[in-house]
Amino acid sequence: MKSQAVPFENRWTNGEHARQWHRELERLGVQNVRTMFCEHETRHGEDRAVVFDIPSGFVRDWLAFHDRQTARQQLVWRGSVIALGLIAASGAVLGLLK
Protein backbone atom coordinates (compact mmCIF):
# COMPACT_ATOMS: atom_id res chain seq x y z
CA MET A 1 0.00 0.00 0.00
CA LYS A 2 1.37 3.39 -0.98
CA SER A 3 1.87 5.78 1.92
CA GLN A 4 -0.06 9.03 1.85
CA ALA A 5 1.76 12.33 2.18
CA VAL A 6 0.27 15.25 4.06
CA PRO A 7 -1.75 17.53 1.74
CA PHE A 8 0.41 20.60 2.35
CA GLU A 9 4.06 21.49 2.18
CA ASN A 10 5.96 21.69 5.43
CA ARG A 11 9.61 22.14 6.29
CA TRP A 12 9.54 20.17 9.48
CA THR A 13 9.25 16.52 8.67
CA ASN A 14 7.82 14.01 6.27
CA GLY A 15 6.81 10.41 6.38
CA GLU A 16 5.10 8.84 9.36
CA HIS A 17 5.72 11.77 11.74
CA ALA A 18 4.00 14.21 9.40
CA ARG A 19 1.04 11.87 8.89
CA GLN A 20 0.64 11.31 12.63
CA TRP A 21 0.86 15.04 13.37
CA HIS A 22 -1.59 15.82 10.57
CA ARG A 23 -4.10 13.23 11.83
CA GLU A 24 -3.82 14.57 15.38
CA LEU A 25 -4.39 18.17 14.29
CA GLU A 26 -7.33 17.14 12.09
CA ARG A 27 -8.81 15.24 15.03
CA LEU A 28 -8.57 18.33 17.26
CA GLY A 29 -10.07 20.66 14.64
CA VAL A 30 -8.99 23.99 13.22
CA GLN A 31 -10.55 26.22 15.88
CA ASN A 32 -9.11 24.23 18.79
CA VAL A 33 -5.65 24.11 17.23
CA ARG A 34 -5.79 27.83 16.43
CA THR A 35 -6.68 28.57 20.06
CA MET A 36 -3.90 26.32 21.36
CA PHE A 37 -1.42 27.90 18.93
CA CYS A 38 -2.36 31.45 19.99
CA GLU A 39 -2.04 30.51 23.64
CA HIS A 40 1.34 28.89 22.94
CA GLU A 41 2.65 31.92 21.05
CA THR A 42 1.57 34.39 23.75
CA ARG A 43 2.59 32.46 26.87
CA HIS A 44 5.00 29.69 25.92
CA GLY A 45 6.70 30.99 22.78
CA GLU A 46 10.08 29.60 23.82
CA ASP A 47 8.75 26.02 23.91
CA ARG A 48 9.30 24.01 20.75
CA ALA A 49 6.07 21.99 20.81
CA VAL A 50 2.55 23.38 20.66
CA VAL A 51 0.31 20.33 20.79
CA PHE A 52 1.87 17.24 22.37
CA ASP A 53 5.15 16.92 20.43
CA ILE A 54 4.12 18.84 17.29
CA PRO A 55 6.44 21.77 16.50
CA SER A 56 4.97 25.24 16.15
CA GLY A 57 6.20 25.55 12.55
CA PHE A 58 4.26 22.46 11.51
CA VAL A 59 1.13 23.80 13.24
CA ARG A 60 1.62 27.18 11.53
CA ASP A 61 1.89 25.47 8.10
CA TRP A 62 -1.19 23.34 8.85
CA LEU A 63 -3.23 26.40 9.85
CA ALA A 64 -2.08 28.27 6.73
CA PHE A 65 -3.17 25.29 4.60
CA HIS A 66 -6.65 25.38 6.14
CA ASP A 67 -6.83 29.17 5.76
CA ARG A 68 -6.04 28.83 2.04
CA GLN A 69 -8.74 26.17 1.67
CA THR A 70 -11.30 28.38 3.40
CA ALA A 71 -10.36 31.39 1.25
CA ARG A 72 -10.70 29.27 -1.90
CA GLN A 73 -14.15 28.05 -0.83
CA GLN A 74 -15.28 31.61 -0.09
CA LEU A 75 -14.05 32.78 -3.50
CA VAL A 76 -16.01 30.05 -5.28
CA TRP A 77 -19.12 30.81 -3.20
CA ARG A 78 -18.92 34.55 -3.89
CA GLY A 79 -18.38 33.94 -7.61
CA SER A 80 -21.44 31.69 -7.70
CA VAL A 81 -23.58 34.27 -5.91
CA ILE A 82 -22.44 37.03 -8.27
CA ALA A 83 -23.09 34.87 -11.35
CA LEU A 84 -26.57 33.91 -10.14
CA GLY A 85 -27.30 37.55 -9.30
CA LEU A 86 -26.30 38.63 -12.82
CA ILE A 87 -28.48 35.92 -14.36
CA ALA A 88 -31.45 36.97 -12.23
CA ALA A 89 -30.92 40.66 -13.01
CA SER A 90 -30.64 40.04 -16.75
CA GLY A 91 -33.78 37.87 -16.61
CA ALA A 92 -35.64 40.68 -14.86
CA VAL A 93 -34.47 43.25 -17.40
CA LEU A 94 -35.45 40.99 -20.32
CA GLY A 95 -38.84 40.40 -18.69
CA LEU A 96 -39.45 44.14 -18.45
CA LEU A 97 -38.44 44.74 -22.06
CA LYS A 98 -40.95 42.22 -23.44
Side-chain angles (χ1 to χ4, degrees):
M1 185 168 135
K2 185 178 175 183
S3 64
Q4 294 280 334
V6 292
F8 61 95
E9 239 180 90
N10 73 84
R11 306 176 301 263
W12 304 97
T13 189
N14 56 17
E16 191 56 32
H17 270 82
R19 286 189 296 279
Q20 287 174 352
W21 293 347
H22 177 70
R23 280 193 303 267
E24 183 63 30
L25 294 175
E26 289 291 332
R27 186 186 67 76
L28 290 170
V30 175
Q31 294 305 322
N32 289 333
V33 172
R34 190 176 309 280
T35 301
M36 294 167 85
F37 182 71
C38 289
E39 197 272 331
H40 170 268
E41 291 296 305
T42 56
R43 296 181 188 218
H44 309 289
E46 68 280 352
D47 293 344
R48 182 181 162 309
V50 176
V51 181
F52 306 116
D53 65 340
I54 304 173
S56 61
F58 188 87
V59 174
R60 188 178 296 116
D61 291 346
W62 183 83
L63 287 171
F65 166 72
H66 279 283
D67 290 345
R68 286 190 303 272
Q69 276 189 324
T70 302
R72 201 172 308 125
Q73 288 172 347
Q74 287 178 354
L75 183 64
V76 168
W77 183 82
R78 286 178 184 157
S80 300
V81 168
I82 290 170
L84 290 173
L86 288 173
I87 290 171
S90 62
V93 167
L94 287 175
L96 288 175
L97 293 177
K98 285 189 173 186

